[in-house]
């Protein structure tokens, strides 16, 4: 079966081209509000829980009144930036993954399938090995530029020739670019042990130790990518029915794929630049969103916007608690938390049919 034939199974009254009932809309809206409440709770837990035990009331007080105490410094200088990074990275990966699965019509697509993650990694390797950059703040622009360049190359390869950028061509081009960049990374790192030691700390995926400067740098890209993604929800619904049906419904297929690719680059590029490669968030969260809201991208994208940060921040909090003095990085924890959830989703008949 071709990749273009892979699509999410939906109930008859939940097809993308059919308007849902008012009751279904109300249920989805209430579910989204509940998810926002869960996100607010997990965000507060991220500010409260850490290697240094601070009472919840003290955390709440210094959150609003920075009195310069040691607890206030921990909350404002360490935990707030960390929580905001987790929030932004979660949004970037979750919405980016949902867009990838929609534009490729492949429920197994994730931020690595179009070369975004490997492009960022290759750029960071160059920054470390050849330019001597060793700070997270210094990696951000290189990683984002690498992700953007890789995405452009993949799109150009996927649209080369007489044919347009079909899902199959984009996936094949992404796989080719990913293989080439992976080989480049391995060659450079094997020849430069110092670069390997620096790179492995970024590659593991972490939001610890990030300062507010990183938040300020990636927030505009995440915001722009999110707005662009939400603007493509309706055309992506038409695209899910196939190119011919999409054109019949008035969707501009090429423009939709191009704008979606730009949104993916902004979201996943900025997220990977800030935290490194983090797996399973962009893969599993859109499945949960579709399980709750159905295949309509007008609901899948908002749900992914909320649920992905819940997974990111929740995994980070769990990693702080079970690791004791030595915390488990969020990149490790999302794999431990996300993999069982994804396996469970794949086993459900309503999740995805290949």
């Amino acid at each position: 079966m071709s990749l273009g034939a892979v699509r999410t199974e939906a109930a008859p009254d939940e097809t993308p081209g059919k308007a849902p009932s008012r009751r279904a809309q109300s249920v989805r809206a209430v579910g989204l509000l509940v998810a926002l409440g869960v996100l607010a709770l997990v965000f507060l837990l991220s500010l409260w829980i850490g290697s240094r035990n601070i009472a919840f009331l003290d955390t709440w007080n210094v959150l609003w009144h920075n009195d310069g105490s040691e607890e206030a410094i921990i909350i404002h200088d360490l935990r707030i930036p960390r929580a905001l990074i987790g929030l932004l990275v979660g949004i970037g990966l979750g919405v980016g993954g949902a867009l990838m699965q929609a534009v490729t019509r492949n429920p197994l697509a994730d931020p690595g399938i179009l070369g975004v993650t490997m492009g960022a990694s290759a750029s960071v390797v160059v920054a470390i090995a050849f330019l001597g950059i060793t700070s997270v703040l210094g990696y951000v622009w290189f990683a984002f530029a690498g992700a953007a360049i890789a995405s452009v190359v993949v799109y150009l390869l996927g649209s080369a020739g007489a044919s347009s950028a079909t899902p199959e061509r984009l996936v094949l081009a992404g796989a080719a670019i990913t293989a080439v960049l992976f080989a480049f990374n391995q060659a450079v790192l094997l020849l430069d042990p110092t670069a390997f030691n620096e790179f492995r700390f970024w590659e593991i995926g972490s939001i610890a130790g990030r300062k507010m400067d990183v938040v300020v740098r990636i927030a505009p890209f995440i915001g722009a990518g999110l707005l662009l993604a939400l603007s493509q929800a309706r055309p992506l619904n038409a695209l899910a029915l196939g190119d011919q049906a999409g054109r019949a419904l008035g969707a501009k297929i090429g423009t939709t794929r191009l704008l979606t690719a730009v949104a993916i680059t902004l979201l996943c590029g900025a997220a990977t630049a800030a935290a490194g490669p983090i797996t399973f968030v962009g893969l599993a969260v859109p499945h949960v969103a579709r399980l709750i809201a159905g295949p309509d991208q007008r609901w899948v994208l908002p749900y992914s916007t909320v649920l992905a940060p819940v997974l990111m921040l929740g995994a980070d909090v769990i990693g702080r608690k079970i690791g004791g003095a030595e915390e488990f990085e969020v990149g490790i924890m999302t794999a431990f938390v996300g993999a069982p959830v994804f396996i469970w989703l794949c086993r459900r008949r309503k999740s995805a049919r290949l």
Side-chain angles (χ1 to χ4, degrees):
M1 182 178 291
S2 65
L3 288 171
V6 179
R7 57 169 300 179
T8 303
E9 184 177 2
D13 61 341
E14 292 182 337
T15 55
K18 184 176 180 179
S21 66
R22 182 174 299 179
R23 181 175 179 274
Q25 293 275 43
S26 299
V27 170
R28 290 168 181 171
V30 171
L32 190 59
L33 290 176
V34 172
L36 282 169
V38 174
L39 176 59
L41 176 61
V42 176
F43 190 88
L44 287 176
L45 289 175
S46 181
L47 300 180
W48 174 37
I49 297 174
S51 57
R52 169 71 180 271
N53 291 325
I54 302 176
F56 180 77
L57 290 179
D58 293 337
T59 301
W60 183 259
N61 289 332
V62 300
L63 179 62
W64 303 106
H65 305 286
N66 188 351
D67 55 9
S69 63
E70 186 177 355
E71 289 80 5
I73 293 173
I74 292 173
I75 298 297
H76 286 271
D77 293 354
L78 298 177
R79 294 186 184 176
I80 289 179
R82 181 172 182 168
L84 290 175
I85 288 288
L87 177 69
L88 293 173
V89 170
I91 292 173
L93 295 177
V95 178
L99 290 176
M100 288 182 181
Q101 292 174 13
V103 77
T104 62
R105 297 199 292 272
N106 179 358
L108 298 180
D110 70 348
I113 199 170
L114 297 183
V116 176
T117 300
M118 195 56 65
S121 298
S123 189
V124 170
V125 168
V126 170
I128 295 172
F130 301 111
L131 301 177
I133 296 174
T134 58
S135 68
V136 172
L137 199 59
Y139 298 157
V140 170
W141 291 118
F142 284 93
F144 184 78
I149 293 171
S151 298
V152 170
V153 172
V154 167
Y155 190 84
L156 291 177
L157 290 175
S159 58
S163 302
S164 61
T166 62
E168 293 87 349
R169 289 167 64 92
L170 289 174
V171 170
L172 290 174
I177 293 299
T178 296
V180 171
L181 293 178
F182 177 79
F184 169 79
N185 286 353
Q186 294 302 305
V188 173
L189 295 176
L190 286 174
L191 295 174
D192 191 341
T194 302
F196 172 77
N197 287 331
E198 292 289 342
F199 177 73
R200 64 190 179 94
F201 289 108
W202 178 83
E203 188 182 29
I204 197 173
S206 174
I207 59 175
R210 274 51 170 176
K211 303 297 183 183
M212 195 61 72
D213 290 343
V214 178
V215 176
V216 172
R217 292 194 181 192
I218 71 166
F221 297 105
I222 297 291
L226 180 60
L227 292 176
L228 184 58
L230 294 175
S231 72
Q232 297 306 301
R234 190 180 295 273
L236 285 172
N237 280 342
L239 203 63
L241 302 175
D243 288 4
Q244 292 183 349
R247 289 191 183 94
L249 292 173
K252 298 179 180 179
I253 304 300
T255 302
T256 299
R257 288 201 176 110
L258 177 59
L259 293 178
T260 302
V262 172
I264 290 170
T265 301
L266 292 171
L267 291 165
C268 298
T272 305
I278 294 179
T279 58
F280 280 106
V281 177
L283 183 63
V285 167
H287 284 264
V288 179
R290 286 192 294 270
L291 187 66
I292 298 172
D296 190 343
Q297 295 298 323
R298 292 171 297 179
W299 288 101
V300 171
L301 295 178
Y303 266 96
S304 298
T305 302
V306 178
L307 294 176
V310 171
L311 174 58
M312 277 288 299
L313 294 174
D316 187 47
V317 169
I318 294 173
R320 298 185 211 179
K321 292 302 292 182
I322 67 174
E326 297 294 332
E327 300 177 356
F328 286 104
E329 304 294 353
V330 70
I332 298 173
M333 295 309 303
T334 54
F336 275 113
V337 174
V341 172
F342 183 68
I343 292 172
W344 175 74
L345 287 169
C346 287
R347 292 178 63 86
R348 289 180 59 91
R349 189 176 179 184
K350 288 185 178 181
S351 174
R353 180 176 59 192
L354 301 182

